[in-house]
């Protein structure tokens, strides 16, 4: 395909899409009866539900069914795959690591993003400052994997260092350290990478949220002589609470799914593997499809607490 | 993003009744602002150093990159543009072609899910129908499904679609494989987009909607005249993230555009830069920056939508 | 169960390519199994001799999916030019660094390429048995393989006694990289037995040069380098026959013979006096990228680095890779005369997922000596070699490629394919790598082998 053809395809697709959407809106606009509203609701949620059902629900259900099958998915084996996971020490460690990831990453990434967003709010270089924290999000994974190589790389103390952390240790006269090898701290160093990526996401959303706090509220508090810390505690936090929940939830879910950081940094060795990485390894490299599906199903199960928490928050909001 | 809750906030204002402003308090606040600036600066530096190292490395010759740390480049400067030259001209397909492909893939993959999600989120937030909570929770929970789980089932559907629909992937794909990529990115973006938009829409004060209804506005009018303007920052924010997720995606492109070489995005080219056995990672550093330019421009351009108080302003009156 | 799965897969596949099946029904049956009939566009041209029998393939195209990516893909594409010119067919080449997983996804998703170059016999076996979509090789390919390769190579491309895939490229893994200049300065000689090699290592250590440098970090494949070490040691200590039994799980993975082979590796890799030149101690092996592991040789920090022939591509531009240059390689010596000269190696196999005439024609072309020599000529920078005995060594340009080809064609050589690439994925692409990595970081021999044995899939 030539470039003009591709662009034509692009324009055609966008026009087609907006044409259809516009038509739906125009046609349903006039409907006012009870039945009319039903049609309207169907038009609003229908396309999304259809896509999500086909593209996500169906594969998810398939995966759950496959988790009860054998290696090549030819026979049902009951709970065998789950038994294998819960009786294997290394798999239990994977579950433990996943828990550490899901607890630490969202909290730290959100906290850093929030503090930064508050501190640079209305600062002179605000745009520039935001771009700096956002940069890691914009870098593709292939780039990020080398970036962190230049941070964590290990060479013996007397050698030339490639990693900046060990170069600093060396210049301080301390022995160099194996950041990716030494259990259990290596998991934390991997988590740092993901926090580095996600803090920009948290910062962007929270900063926008902070900007939406009405001026009067801030002014009133300031006239009352509230200190910065008190402003933060009693004005900022309560005002952006819904945004905080959104950010925490989104990062938690992203954390459950993260596998490429572990895969490219340690390959899951040295006790650093997480569920999503094991799922990928078993399904696509070891050709243990049943076991892989069981690991995938466990990821689904782990999201339940997050879902329940969100439902409760929504209920609270409804009832207010 | 406009997520304030004006109904809660005023109640909280009464709490901080500190002492009236004194010299001590002023000094204190200067001090905290100094500490604050220090902390912000520290975070900014920590966050930037790793990337800066990559930037420096991308201008260093291969032998240097592989044998000593990037900070040595300042003590013994030896810089070259060779890595960039290799990235830009080192392939038999023009780099511009990959850029075009990335754009063609990304733009509909951002527009389609955002439009669908805003509509669906509006229905979940403000239209009354049976089971809307359950449905919303189900959609929200589907965020957890990793792309890897969907690859084989979705690809099967694209290659052999039911109901006599045209084949979307494979040798006889319509539109050269772009449609599957657009569709897949849209699917993967929808749960998060609906969840975010829904939360922002719930923040719009009920009175605003109700007064519009009293004035005789239907859902379509409320959606287009009240929601869309109020949600511009939210839409812009999600749009930026969706843009860079799609722009940086490799997996979807590999699986769903698979076999159609002329629709490969930039990331496919980047992944190949590493060389057969990962020996060329000095090229990757340059490639990463070439690819970074576009998302960065989009972020900078999108920032002006995060202006303050759009929503807050609307409730004032 | 498996049978029904396979036939369903085939039916689906047939539905996809109805036209192709009809075509191949017309074309099949004759000796070459790959003529489309018609007058070949190459008819009458001297260079097309041997290619005209494929018939007229104008307008036809063959999609090829491989793990061979830039910059090495250029020579691949160039070597197809003769075929394209002479038959009129066009080859659509796609290389990916995510090849193994993606191939599996594409095959299962019903979007298989026409041809894939599979670097692991184990993966070929899985694809044949689990999906049933790999097509048996046409007769012409079988004939070529019988003519140009040893029986062992044919066996690696066969599953359940059916021949599917001919070898393509190959590499020698039993190489030790060293610096000829450094050896000359110090008066060191290239060792010809394992014992000589160990004595040399001790000499180096006595002169304050760490003898060995090693690195096994390779992203999600971390550990594979150590599996090659163990395989080389197995071949030398217990011989090719026991090696085959071990690979095919006819003896347990943790057999005492394996343990003693692992101990031999440990005498080098887990000995702080022997490793890790220019990098650190034993543990540093686990976190050093295999791509960088040999580079300390250039600075004189390390004397020896055991790595495959393809390591030639890792030396920075401007390094003289030749017998008297900055770096070169010697054959990893044997322990005893008993088993001849075992050569551990790897390579790719050409598997087809379609049987259209143009696909079979291309498959056949790749198995000829014509292609091997075309490929050699198309690779002026070096970095490619084949075990095809029809390959004229004079066509190879780099000294290390010549050495590799000589090693393959040496009548004394007993070739064995990389064992981990033949084992089931759960072992060969997972537990073997992981446990050997754990072994480097301190786990003992017995536990390591026992853990791998436990992970061997039962079905």
């Amino acid at each position: 395909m030539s470039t003009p053809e591709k662009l034509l395809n692009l324009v055609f697709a966008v026009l087609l899409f907006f044409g259809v959407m516009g038509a739906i809106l125009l046609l349903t606009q006039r409907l006012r009866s009870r039945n009319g509203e039903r049609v309207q609701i169907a038009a609003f949620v229908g396309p999304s539900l259809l896509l999500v059902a086909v593209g996500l629900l169906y594969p998810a259900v398939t995966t759950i069914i496959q988790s009860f099958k054998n290696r090549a998915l030819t026979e049902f084996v009951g709970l065998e795959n789950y038994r294998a996971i819960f009786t294997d020490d290394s798999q239990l460690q994977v579950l433990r690591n996943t828990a550490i990831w899901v607890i630490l990453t969202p909290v730290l990434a959100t906290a850093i993003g929030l503090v930064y967003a508050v501190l640079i709010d209305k600062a002179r270089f605000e745009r520039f400052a935001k771009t700096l924290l956002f940069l890691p999000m914009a870098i593709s994974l292939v780039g990020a994997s080398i970036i962190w190589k230049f941070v964590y790389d290990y060479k013996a103390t007397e050698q030339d260092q490639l990693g900046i952390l060990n170069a600093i240790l060396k210049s301080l006269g301390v022995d160099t350290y194996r950041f990716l090898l030494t259990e259990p701290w290596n998991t934390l160093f991997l988590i740092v990478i993901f926090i580095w990526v996600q803090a920009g996401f948290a910062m962007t959303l929270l900063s926008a949220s902070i900007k939406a706090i009405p001026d009067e509220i801030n002014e009133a508090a300031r006239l009352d002589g509230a200190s910065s810390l008190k402003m933060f505690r009693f004005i900022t936090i309560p005002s952006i609470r819904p945004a905080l929940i959104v950010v925490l939830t989104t990062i938690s879910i992203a954390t459950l799914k993260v596998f490429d950081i572990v895969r490219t940094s340690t390959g899951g060795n040295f006790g650093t593997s997480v569920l999503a990485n094991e799922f990928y390894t078993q399904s696509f490299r070891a050709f243990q499809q049943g076991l892989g599906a069981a690991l995938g199903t466990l990821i689904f199960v782990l999201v339940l607490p997050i879902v329940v928490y969100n439902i409760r928050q929504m209920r609270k909001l409804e009832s207010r | 993003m406009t997520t304030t809750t004006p109904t809660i906030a005023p109640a909280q204002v009464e709490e901080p009744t500190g002492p009236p402003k004194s010299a001590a308090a002023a000094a204190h606040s200067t001090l905290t602002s100094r500490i604050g600036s220090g902390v912000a600066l520290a975070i900014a530096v920590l966050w930037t150093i790793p990337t800066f190292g990559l930037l420096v490395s991308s201008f260093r010759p291969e032998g240097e990159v592989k044998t000593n740390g990037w900070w040595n480049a300042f003590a013994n400067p030896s810089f070259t543009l060779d890595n960039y030259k290799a990235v830009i001209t080192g392939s038999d397909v023009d780099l511009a072609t990959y850029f075009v492909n990335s754009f063609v893939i990304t733009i509909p993959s951002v527009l389609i899910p955002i439009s669908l999600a805003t509509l669906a989120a509006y229905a979940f937030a403000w239209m009354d129908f049976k089971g809307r909570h359950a449905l919303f929770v189900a959609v929200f929970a589907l965020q957890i499904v990793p792309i890897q789980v969907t690859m084989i089932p979705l690809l099967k559907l694209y290659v052999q679609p039911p109901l006599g629909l045209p084949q979307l992937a494979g040798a006889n794909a319509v539109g050269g494989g772009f449609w599957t990529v657009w569709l897949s990115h849209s699917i993967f973006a929808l749960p998060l987009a609906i969840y975010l938009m829904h939360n922002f829409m719930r923040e719009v004060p009920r009175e605003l909607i109700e007064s519009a209804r009293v004035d005789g506005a239907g859902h379509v009018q409320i959606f287009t005249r009240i929601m869309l303007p109020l949600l511009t920052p939210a839409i812009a924010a999600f749009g930026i993230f969706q843009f860079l997720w799609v722009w940086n995606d490799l997996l979807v492109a590999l699986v769903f555009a698979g076999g159609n070489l002329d629709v490969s995005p930039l990331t496919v080219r980047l992944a190949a830069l590493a060389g057969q056995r990962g020996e060329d990672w000095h090229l990757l550093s340059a490639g990463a920056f070439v690819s970074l330019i576009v998302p960065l421009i989009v972020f900078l351009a999108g920032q002006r939508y995060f202006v303050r108080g759009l929503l807050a302003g609307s409730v004032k009156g | 169960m498996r049978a029904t799965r396979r036939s369903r897969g085939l039916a689906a596949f047939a539905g996809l390519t109805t036209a192709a099946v009809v075509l191949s029904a017309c074309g099949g049956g004759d000796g070459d199994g790959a003529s489309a009939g018609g007058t070949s566009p190459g008819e009458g041209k001297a260079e097309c001799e041997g290619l005209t029998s494929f018939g007229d393939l104008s307008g036809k195209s063959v999609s090829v999916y491989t793990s061979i990516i830039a910059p090495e893909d250029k020579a691949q594409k160039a070597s197809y030019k003769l075929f394209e010119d002479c038959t009129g067919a066009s080859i659509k080449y796609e290389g990916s660094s995510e090849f193994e997983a993606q191939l599996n996804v594409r095959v299962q998703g019903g979007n298989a390429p026409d041809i894939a170059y599979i670097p692991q016999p184990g993966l070929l076996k899985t694809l044949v048995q689990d999906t049933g979509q790999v097509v048996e090789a046409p007769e012409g390919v079988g004939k070529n393989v019988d003519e140009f390769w040893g029986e062992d190579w044919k066996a690696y491309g066969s599953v359940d006694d059916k021949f599917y895939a001919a070898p393509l490229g190959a590499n020698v893994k039993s190489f030790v990289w060293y610096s000829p200049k450094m050896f000359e300065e110090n008066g060191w000689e290239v060792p010809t037995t394992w014992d000589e090699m160990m004595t040399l290592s001790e000499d180096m250590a006595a002169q304050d040069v760490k003898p060995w440098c090693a690195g096994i970090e390779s992203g999600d494949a971390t550990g594979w380098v150590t599996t090659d070490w163990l395989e080389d040691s197995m071949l030398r200590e217990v011989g090719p026959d026991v090696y085959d039994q071990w690979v095919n799980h006819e003896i347990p993975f943790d057999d005492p013979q394996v343990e003693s082979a692992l101990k031999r590796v440990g005498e080098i890799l887990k000995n702080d006096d022997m490793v890790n030149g220019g990098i650190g101690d034993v543990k540093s092996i686990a976190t050093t990228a295999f791509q960088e592991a040999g580079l300390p040789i250039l600075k004189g920090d390390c004397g020896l680095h055991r790595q495959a022939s393809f390591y030639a591509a890792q030396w920075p531009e401007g390094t003289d890779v030749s017998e008297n240059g900055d770096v070169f390689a010697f054959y990893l010596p044997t322990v005893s005369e008993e088993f001849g000269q075992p050569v551990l190696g790897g390579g790719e196999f050409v598997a087809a997922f379609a049987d259209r005439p143009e696909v079979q024609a291309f498959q056949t072309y790749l198995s000829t000596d014509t292609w091997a020599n075309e490929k050699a000529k198309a690779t002026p920078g070096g970095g490619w070699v084949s075990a095809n005995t029809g390959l004229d060594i004079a066509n190879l340009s780099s000294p290390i490629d010549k050495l590799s080809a000589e090693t393959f064609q040496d009548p004394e050589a007993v070739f064995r394919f990389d064992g981990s690439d033949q084992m089931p994925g759960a072992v060969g692409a997972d537990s073997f790598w992981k446990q050997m990595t754990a072994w480097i970081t301190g786990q003992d021999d017995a536990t390591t082998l026992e853990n791998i044995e436990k992970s061997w899939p039962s079905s």
Side-chain angles (χ1 to χ4, degrees), chain B:
Chain B
M1 193 87 33
T2 55
T3 52
T4 177
T5 49
T7 39
I8 297 178
Q12 300 283 1
V13 186
E14 292 154 22
E15 278 186 50
T17 43
K21 230 174 190 179
S22 64
H28 180 74
S29 85
T30 323
L31 187 68
T32 46
S33 85
R34 282 226 181 114
I35 295 173
S37 311
V39 171
L41 189 68
I43 296 178
V45 168
L46 282 179
W47 250 248
T48 319
I49 282 181
T51 317
F52 182 67
L54 188 73
L55 181 65
V56 173
S57 300
S58 71
F59 289 105
R60 301 182 77 203
E62 178 188 355
E64 298 280 307
V65 176
K66 287 183 175 174
T67 52
N68 61 57
W70 55 266
W71 49 92
N72 293 318
F74 300 107
N76 323 297
S78 99
F79 294 106
T80 168
L81 285 173
D82 285 355
N83 298 339
Y84 284 92
K85 269 184 211 145
V87 168
I88 292 165
T89 59
S91 136
D92 49 359
V93 181
D94 198 358
L95 196 70
T97 312
Y98 289 105
F99 264 104
V100 170
N101 290 346
S102 277
F103 271 112
V104 175
I105 285 174
T106 309
I107 292 169
S109 302
V110 172
L111 294 178
I112 295 173
I114 287 185
S115 320
L116 291 180
T118 338
L119 278 177
Y122 176 81
F124 284 129
W126 293 110
M127 291 168 104
D128 210 16
F129 59 96
K130 232 175 120 186
R132 79 182 161 120
H133 279 301
L135 267 181
F136 173 69
V137 168
V139 169
F140 157 65
L142 281 173
Q143 268 185 77
I144 193 58
V145 180
I147 293 179
Q148 294 85 5
V149 163
T150 68
M151 293 191 299
I152 294 172
L154 262 188
L155 189 59
K156 269 187 190 158
L157 278 179
Y158 290 148
V159 176
Q160 300 161 268
L163 314 171
L165 292 165
Q167 191 182 5
L168 287 179
N172 310 314
V174 290
F178 281 125
W179 290 87
T180 43
V181 182
W182 293 332
L183 206 55
S184 309
H185 276 305
S186 302
I187 289 171
F188 301 136
L190 274 174
L192 177 61
I194 293 175
Y195 170 68
L196 287 179
M197 296 296 167
H198 174 267
N199 279 289
F200 299 136
M201 289 198 190
R202 291 296 309 175
E203 300 299 323
V204 176
R206 184 171 285 274
E207 308 89 71
L208 207 62
I209 311 281
E210 268 158 16
S211 67
R213 299 220 78 164
V214 170
D215 291 345
H219 282 303
V220 176
Q221 281 97 336
I222 296 175
F223 177 78
T224 50
R225 299 211 187 122
I226 298 178
M227 283 301 170
L228 285 187
L230 285 183
L231 283 178
T232 314
I235 292 173
F238 182 77
I240 288 172
F241 287 118
Q242 174 68 2
F243 185 96
L244 60 103
W245 285 324
V246 175
W247 186 268
N248 284 334
D249 158 82
L250 175 65
L251 199 56
V252 171
L254 280 180
V255 176
F256 298 113
N260 291 297
L261 285 175
D262 46 340
V263 305
S264 293
L266 199 57
T267 43
V268 171
R269 162 89 181 117
L270 271 189
L273 275 181
Q276 177 70 18
R277 294 185 180 81
E279 67 272 24
D280 291 332
W281 44 266
H282 57 289
L283 297 183
L284 273 183
S285 51
F289 279 98
V290 170
S291 164
L292 177 70
I293 296 168
V294 173
L296 209 56
I297 292 173
V298 169
F299 178 74
L300 289 173
Q303 270 206 6
R304 65 197 186 89
Y305 288 100
F306 305 151
V307 282
R308 51 186 301 98
L310 260 188
L311 184 60
S314 73
V315 241
K316 241 190 286 180

Side-chain angles (χ1 to χ4, degrees), chain C residues 322-336:
Chain C
S322 70
E323 213 154 344
N324 300 308
D326 301 324
V327 283
F328 203 56
F330 61 80
Y331 167 76
L332 178 72
T334 49
V335 174
S336 68

